[in-house]
Amino acid sequence: MISVSFLNRTARDSRSRRVHALMQWCLAASLALYAGTHAQAAEHTSVTPEQAYQLALEARSVGDYPAMLILLRQAGYAGDLPAQEMLASVLLAGPVLYGDSISGGLCEAIHWSRRATEQGSAVAKHQDMILNGLRDLPLQREICFARER
């Protein structure tokens, strides 16, 4: 019994280290891109939106929620539909599902849900129905839209 838990912990630790190394690489690549490095160097460090989404899923599986949020936003801004849908869900659930590391952000959740709806997402349409059922949403939407202007 002891050896089994030791093996599970070792596999989990190994996966966690691997994901952490991938996250560091991804963040370094993002910083290099945003810092305005040469285009040739950026080609070697770029991450596709799909890769960023997959890294976000890995980060979620090891409980690295801040990194998950960064990667979801990166993929979402690049137009990745699953990332936009998940980002809206994560921001709606916020601390209820992810603890204090992710604060609920209704305005940002509305933003991502709207972007996903524009791409024809059935998931985002359902999220909008949930949002429309919230009692204080009309006032909150006005606040959110005023911030965007």
Side-chain angles (χ1 to χ4, degrees):
M1 196 81 146
I2 294 172
S3 62
V4 172
S5 65
F6 175 77
L7 289 174
N8 288 340
R9 186 172 35 132
T10 304
R12 215 175 315 129
D13 292 345
S14 173
R15 189 168 110 193
S16 178
R17 282 193 299 272
R18 201 171 7 142
V19 169
H20 185 68
L22 283 170
M23 298 296 296
Q24 286 180 330
W25 180 84
C26 183
L27 292 174
S30 297
L31 290 174
L33 289 172
Y34 288 115
T37 58
H38 301 291
Q40 186 178 26
E43 287 176 15
H44 296 292
T45 59
S46 65
V47 175
T48 68
E50 294 82 14
Q51 289 170 329
Y53 176 67
Q54 291 301 319
L55 287 169
L57 294 177
E58 286 290 327
R60 180 182 69 176
S61 69
V62 297
D64 192 355
Y65 302 129
M68 173 190 70
L69 206 54
I70 291 168
L71 290 162
L72 285 174
R73 284 183 178 125
Q74 179 183 352
Y77 280 120
D80 188 70
L81 182 61
Q84 292 171 349
E85 293 168 345
M86 185 175 169
L87 191 50
S89 295
V90 165
L91 292 168
L92 280 173
V96 173
L97 290 180
Y98 299 101
D100 293 334
S101 61
I102 295 195
S103 61
L106 187 59
C107 290
E108 191 178 2
I110 291 170
H111 167 79
W112 289 111
S113 179
R114 191 169 9 135
R115 285 186 70 165
T117 301
E118 289 169 0
Q119 292 192 55
S121 167
V123 171
K125 287 178 186 174
H126 180 72
Q127 289 169 339
D128 283 340
M129 286 176 25
I130 291 170
L131 286 169
N132 288 331
L134 296 177
R135 194 174 323 138
D136 62 343
L137 186 66
L139 175 61
Q140 187 65 38
R141 279 189 194 260
E142 288 178 24
I143 292 169
C144 294
F145 294 140
R147 289 181 190 165
E148 289 180 2
R149 295 179 190 156

